[in-house]
Amino acid sequence: MHFLDLIIKKRNGNKLSDEEIRYIVSSYVDGEVPDYQMSAFLMAVYFKGMDMEETVSLTDAIIKSGEIVDLSDIPGKVIDKHSTGGVGDKATVVVGPILAALNVPVAKMSGRGLGFTGGTIDKLESIPGFRSELSIEEFKDVIKKVNYSDIAQTKNLCYADKLLYGLRDVTGTVEEKSLIASSIMSKKIASGADGIVLDVKVGSGAFMKNKWSAEEIARLMIGIGRQYGKKVTAVLSDMECPLGKYVGNSLEIIEAMEILKGNGDPRAEKLCKTIAKEMLLLYNDSLSDEAAMGMVNKVIENGKAIECFRRFVEAQGGDGRIVDDYSIMGEARYKIEVKADRAGYIGGWNAEVIGRACLEAGSGRRTKEDAIDYLAGAYIGKSIGEQVKTGDTIAVIYTNDKKKGEMAKRIMQKAYIVSDIKTVPGDVILSIIR
Ligand code: URA
């Protein structure tokens, strides 16, 4: 078998066999195939796609590039969640501690920033001292100790996804459903949980721009999960505008802490609570929706959820004092205001454009070697439907690089529309597939 032949086979729109897909993954992982050939293969998949059978083979080959975590010594079921990727999506950082406070073990493997979206691992690594590359034993110990751990792919766990993920991020090959589904489901199967809630994002700030394609990928991932005996629920959620008021790694950690303290932006709070409720229902299917939501609300109100966040951060080496003192997270040197260019009502925010502005400000990578500015990002000061006057500050760019910040501001000027008519944003929850 020759890698080049397989690139051409996929480029010509032909179906690859299980054996061929396993060869592609193993030869890349073993370092026999250079990045440029793998990039060409990914681009061929981007244009020609893969069917369900190929996607299952790819998922399995990625899983087998590492180990599968055995969580059988953790009593009861273990639950996980994953988002297909969005702008300002800090839901994982919120729901993990909520479930931990409810004594539901959560075993999570997350990714870094991808394309114009942020990644949970980059967000968590913005916390001073936080370690995301744990051994399997450490991962299990943290779950046993604080009910929640969140780790990155390593050499031992989903190594192929670690490599492919980083390559897709910088080669324009993120937005393809079989690549997204295999990347997500391989992490979910390898990290060993019994039940999985998928947050499938729809809209300008998501990789699935319409509900139809979001439903398609949701059903694909549910199908893969079933093949491994996992219970999977998909929540389809709106990603036209960013989730919450802040985009950017450290800014989102602070906003997540605010949600855990009960002071969150209402749409972000609703999504996080809904995902937490669905995770709880997978853990205990005898609960009613109302009872599960009541339990979620309670651990936020009584402060247990934010304490569980602190314990989780400390268990992974981070500085838990951030819960009481946000200044420990640091602050960007420059704050550049974006002003409304006319009077009216905010008619819409384009989340993808906001994501690209934040990337420009330093919150993501353009090449594999790029370093992240953890403090870079944006504050979205005016929500859809809010009235503005010409010159009002509607957003703020955060950055440590003034030149990049000015460029981000120019991008941000194209991220909103002001209209004469007041519009009301739709519900953040579009549907739930159980
Ligand atoms: N999250 C992942 O882990 N992988 C993707 O491809 C997209 C979102």
Side-chain angles (χ1 to χ4, degrees):
M1 229 180 283
H2 293 292
F3 201 91
L4 177 59
D5 298 337
L6 300 178
I7 298 174
I8 293 168
K9 187 170 179 185
K10 185 42 78 184
R11 186 204 65 190
N12 293 346
N14 295 310
K15 180 170 170 151
L16 298 168
S17 69
D18 183 65
E19 193 194 354
E20 287 168 335
I21 290 172
R22 286 178 198 283
Y23 170 77
I24 287 165
V25 173
S26 63
S27 48
Y28 184 54
V29 164
D30 292 344
E32 288 158 16
V33 167
D35 278 357
Y36 62 82
Q37 278 195 310
M38 194 58 178
S39 305
F41 175 73
L42 292 171
M43 193 57 86
V45 175
Y46 177 88
F47 282 113
K48 301 295 177 177
M50 281 186 164
D51 68 11
M52 177 73 177
E53 239 179 303
E54 291 173 293
T55 310
V56 171
S57 294
L58 180 59
T59 309
D60 204 59
I62 297 174
I63 294 169
K64 292 195 173 130
S65 68
E67 294 171 43
I68 297 181
V69 181
D70 177 5
L71 296 173
S72 57
D73 53 337
I74 294 175
K77 286 185 210 153
V78 179
I79 308 298
D80 192 357
K81 68 88 62 177
H82 208 89
S83 157
T84 55
V87 176
D89 181 9
K90 67 273 301 164
T92 291
V93 184
V94 178
V95 301
I98 292 176
L99 272 287
L102 291 166
N103 276 322
V104 176
V106 177
K108 171 118 177 68
M109 199 193 307
S110 295
R112 297 180 187 279
L114 196 60
F116 56 85
T117 71
T120 303
I121 293 299
D122 290 333
K123 291 172 207 195
L124 290 172
E125 287 184 354
S126 72
I127 300 170
F130 190 91
R131 285 174 57 224
S132 63
E133 298 216 353
L134 303 188
S135 69
I136 294 178
E137 279 320 305
E138 286 176 310
F139 180 50
K140 285 168 55 166
D141 284 349
V142 174
I143 300 168
K144 284 180 195 157
K145 197 165 152 204
V146 300
N147 278 333
Y148 169 42
S149 180
D150 200 340
I151 55 169
Q153 315 96 316
T154 62
K155 257 218 135 153
N156 299 330
L157 277 175
C158 275
Y159 187 48
D161 184 57
K162 182 180 167 79
L163 299 180
L164 293 173
Y165 196 96
L167 199 57
R168 286 167 61 216
D169 183 34
V170 293
T171 53
T173 53
V174 171
E175 300 98 328
E176 197 287 317
K177 69 176 175 13
S178 60
L179 296 178
I180 296 174
S182 57
S183 163
I184 291 177
M185 293 312 289
S186 58
K187 287 194 281 293
K188 300 304 92 182
I189 310 295
S191 48
D194 307 286
I196 302 153
V197 174
L198 299 169
D199 178 11
V200 183
K201 304 282 189 197
V202 189
S204 68
F207 301 129
M208 277 61 68
K209 303 292 183 198
N210 56 55
K211 207 171 165 201
W212 175 82
S213 60
E215 268 171 12
E216 193 184 23
I217 199 166
R219 292 193 193 283
L220 179 61
M221 291 192 287
I222 290 171
I224 297 172
R226 270 207 201 114
Q227 299 213 10
Y228 290 88
K230 307 289 178 187
K231 276 195 183 175
V232 185
T233 298
V235 175
L236 266 62
S237 69
D238 180 69
M239 195 13 91
E240 272 315 322
C241 53
L243 190 70
K245 293 274 184 200
Y246 288 90
V247 181
N249 297 301
S250 68
L251 294 168
E252 289 187 46
I253 292 291
I254 294 171
E255 188 170 33
M257 288 191 274
E258 283 295 295
I259 300 172
L260 284 166
K261 290 176 183 175
N263 310 321
D265 163 80
R267 275 169 72 83
E269 189 181 286
K270 181 169 182 184
L271 178 73
C272 294
K273 286 182 175 177
T274 303
I275 293 171
K277 175 203 71 172
E278 290 300 324
M279 291 170 78
L280 188 52
L281 290 174
L282 281 183
Y283 182 74
N284 180 355
D285 57 14
S286 66
L287 287 171
S288 68
D289 261 51
E290 295 68 34
M293 191 54 106
M295 290 164 74
V296 168
N297 281 325
K298 195 164 168 202
V299 292
I300 295 179
E301 282 156 20
N302 66 18
K304 282 194 177 154
I306 188 70
E307 274 318 307
C308 283
F309 173 77
R310 187 204 304 272
R311 294 182 67 213
F312 152 70
V313 167
E314 288 174 348
Q316 293 199 205
D319 189 340
R321 294 174 305 160
I322 58 166
V323 168
D324 311 306
D325 182 0
Y326 296 158
S327 72
I328 294 171
M329 296 289 291
E331 204 174 324
R333 206 166 317 137
Y334 303 103
K335 297 185 188 71
I336 302 168
E337 295 185 352
V338 180
K339 312 257 186 201
D341 54 6
R342 54 165 291 210
Y345 300 91
I346 297 289
W349 281 105
N350 183 311
E352 176 171 349
V353 179
I354 295 173
R356 293 198 185 282
C358 291
L359 209 66
E360 187 63 44
S363 69
R365 302 172 185 81
R366 289 189 186 285
T367 69
K368 287 208 290 183
E369 293 72 31
D370 276 357
I372 282 194
D373 175 356
Y374 287 118
L375 304 175
Y379 166 66
I380 310 301
K382 298 282 180 190
S383 304
I384 295 174
E386 268 192 74
Q387 194 162 22
V388 292
K389 297 190 296 298
T390 309
D392 276 358
T393 300
I394 55 170
V396 180
I397 305 282
Y398 290 71
T399 185
N400 283 311
D401 183 324
K402 196 152 189 235
K403 213 164 134 204
K404 286 184 178 174
E406 290 301 334
M407 181 57 94
K409 177 181 169 180
R410 280 199 284 281
I411 298 172
M412 201 71 155
Q413 294 285 10
K414 300 187 194 118
Y416 68 96
I417 49 166
V418 176
S419 84
D420 296 328
I421 304 157
K422 184 180 164 106
T423 46
V424 186
D427 198 338
V428 66
I429 308 294
L430 302 178
S431 63
I432 298 178
I433 308 172
R434 285 187 182 139

